[in-house]
């Protein structure tokens, strides 16, 4: 099982307040109707590279994932608290938080943010 599937399953079991569902790779359009008052998450693998330590021996892999958070229209969820809960979840699983570019509005009117995390396996 890939890191994306494992993380999405773990997020769904974590009991994070305000989370409707976490999906691997993309959010199905039907979920935007089903979870109109909950936040949805799509997790994608961005980069997977061998970790180098000054030699040609690669004994670790570095994986970076993107966590796309899609807030409901008419957002009543505290984004700071929710994003802190997500970051805390990943940090407890030994993922390192990377830089993000802030919130934006998608074409359907949902506020979104893309968070990035990195981990060595």
């Amino acid at each position: 099982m890939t890191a994306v599937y494992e993380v999405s399953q773990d997020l769904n079991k974590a009991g994070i307040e305000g989370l409707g569902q976490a999906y691997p790779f993309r959010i199905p359009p039907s979920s935007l109707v089903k979870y109109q008052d909950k936040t949805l998450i799509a997790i994608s693998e961005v980069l997977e590279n061998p970790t180098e330590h000054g030699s040609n021996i690669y004994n670790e892999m570095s994986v970076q994932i993107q966590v796309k958070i899609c807030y409901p229209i008419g957002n009543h969820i505290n984004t700071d608290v929710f994003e802190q809960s997500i970051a805390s979840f990943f940090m407890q699983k030994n993922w390192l938080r990377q830089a993000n570019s802030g919130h934006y509005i998608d074409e359907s009117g949902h506020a979104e943010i893309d968070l990035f995390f990195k981990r060595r396996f």
Side-chain angles (χ1 to χ4, degrees):
M1 189 180 319
T2 66
V4 170
Y5 282 100
E6 288 178 24
V7 168
S8 62
Q9 287 180 348
D10 290 346
L11 268 172
N12 288 327
K13 295 175 188 173
I16 296 173
E17 186 177 341
L19 176 61
Q21 186 77 22
Y23 296 97
F25 302 109
R26 68 178 191 88
I27 298 170
S30 61
S31 295
L32 295 172
V33 175
K34 183 178 179 182
Y35 297 104
Q36 290 183 2
D37 60 340
K38 297 279 187 178
T39 301
L40 301 174
I41 293 179
I43 300 169
S44 303
E45 193 170 84
V46 176
L47 187 63
E48 184 172 337
N49 285 328
T51 304
E52 299 180 37
H53 295 285
S55 69
N56 290 331
I57 300 172
Y58 305 115
N59 55 7
E60 285 184 334
M61 292 297 286
S62 177
V63 176
Q64 184 178 15
I65 60 172
Q66 173 188 8
V67 178
K68 177 181 285 299
I69 301 174
C70 178
Y71 293 103
I73 294 176
N75 185 11
H76 60 277
I77 294 171
N78 185 330
T79 58
D80 291 334
V81 171
F82 186 80
E83 290 162 21
Q84 192 173 34
S85 297
I86 297 298
S88 176
F89 167 84
F90 279 96
M91 293 175 82
Q92 289 173 11
K93 303 272 185 193
N94 296 323
W95 289 86
L96 301 173
R97 187 162 182 185
Q98 307 293 296
N100 67 60
S101 58
H103 295 90
Y104 58 94
I105 305 295
D106 73 356
E107 63 276 354
S108 62
H110 292 91
E112 295 186 356
I113 187 169
D114 298 326
L115 304 179
F116 295 91
F117 296 90
K118 186 176 184 177
R119 182 175 174 191
R120 291 184 178 164
F121 290 95

